[in-house]
Amino acid sequence: AMVNFILGSGALDYECAADFNGDGTINILDIVAMVNCILGTGDCGSGRVAVSNSNDASFASILKEGDSVALSANGYVGAIQMTLKHDVDGFAIDLTDNALVAEYNTVGKTTELIVVLPENSDQQLFVAEGDFVITEALVANSANFVDVSIVSQYAIMSSYPNPFNPQTTISYELYSDSNIEVAIFNLLGQK
């Protein structure tokens, strides 16, 4: 019911009960707090979850490549909420199966979607049929919203020298201000 209310596809009988964390608004933070309470990782008495979790993400990046969107983060992600704009009515999305909740609602040329408790923070969230733009994205850890960047374009140039030992230069280009993480993996997949 809370997911449908946030997506605009349903009503709530008791809105005050849906504001689980007591901050005056009903959003994905309330869903994360309720899920953490049920799972035993949060404080159900006050409806608030513990703020100090060393695995909490403080930054997340949403990458749009063609018709798919992927999420990466530097820690635990409890939920994602996104608004998409598209040119067609009847926009179709294939959401991830690796989440506790993954739902969306399309009205006209706007789609709202929510993914709660993705299996991990480095995964594809959905594939969509047709062109779209992400106009808003909210990402929550166990108790707070985290900084998020939406990356629609990037370029990685050749590194030199390649192969390298003990150092190399890697050039990249971003089309918007963003935090990034660069990682090197060997042929065995080890970081």
Side-chain angles (χ1 to χ4, degrees):
M2 288 172 63
V3 169
N4 289 334
F5 178 78
I6 293 168
L7 292 176
S9 60
L12 287 173
D13 292 335
Y14 304 101
E15 287 187 28
C16 61
D19 184 15
F20 194 75
N21 65 1
D23 66 357
T25 60
I26 301 169
N27 56 32
I28 59 174
L29 290 178
D30 297 301
I31 295 171
V32 172
M34 185 175 287
V35 168
N36 286 340
C37 174
I38 292 168
L39 295 177
T41 58
D43 175 14
C44 298
S46 66
R48 300 188 184 278
V49 293
V51 175
S52 59
N53 179 344
S54 62
N55 295 322
D56 275 352
S58 60
F59 179 80
S61 181
I62 295 173
L63 174 63
K64 178 182 183 288
E65 287 188 294
D67 61 352
S68 69
V69 170
L71 168 77
S72 64
N74 64 351
Y76 170 79
V77 171
I80 301 104
Q81 179 179 350
M82 278 191 261
T83 304
L84 311 176
K85 298 286 185 183
H86 36 83
D87 293 336
V88 296
D89 293 330
F91 192 67
I93 295 179
D94 183 19
L95 288 162
T96 180
D97 293 334
N98 300 322
L100 181 65
V101 175
E103 297 289 336
Y104 73 96
N105 182 39
T106 299
V107 176
K109 296 180 180 175
T110 302
T111 297
E112 289 280 338
L113 67 92
I114 291 178
V115 178
V116 178
L117 285 181
E119 189 173 274
N120 58 55
S121 64
D122 292 315
Q123 73 169 15
Q124 185 177 51
L125 295 173
F126 66 86
V127 176
E129 294 178 12
D131 292 330
F132 62 92
V133 175
I134 302 169
T135 59
E136 183 179 19
L138 301 172
V139 176
N141 57 27
S142 65
N144 300 298
F145 287 116
V146 300
D147 292 332
V148 62
S149 72
I150 301 170
V151 181
S152 58
Q153 289 182 308
Y154 66 94
I156 300 175
M157 285 45 147
S158 297
S159 59
Y160 62 89
N162 188 6
F164 66 92
N165 185 8
Q167 67 183 29
T168 189
T169 300
I170 300 172
S171 298
Y172 60 89
E173 193 172 298
L174 298 175
Y175 293 88
S176 63
D177 290 343
S178 177
N179 292 337
I180 67 157
E181 177 181 328
V182 176
I184 308 288
F185 293 86
N186 66 17
L187 293 174
L188 300 175
Q190 298 165 321
K191 197 170 185 178

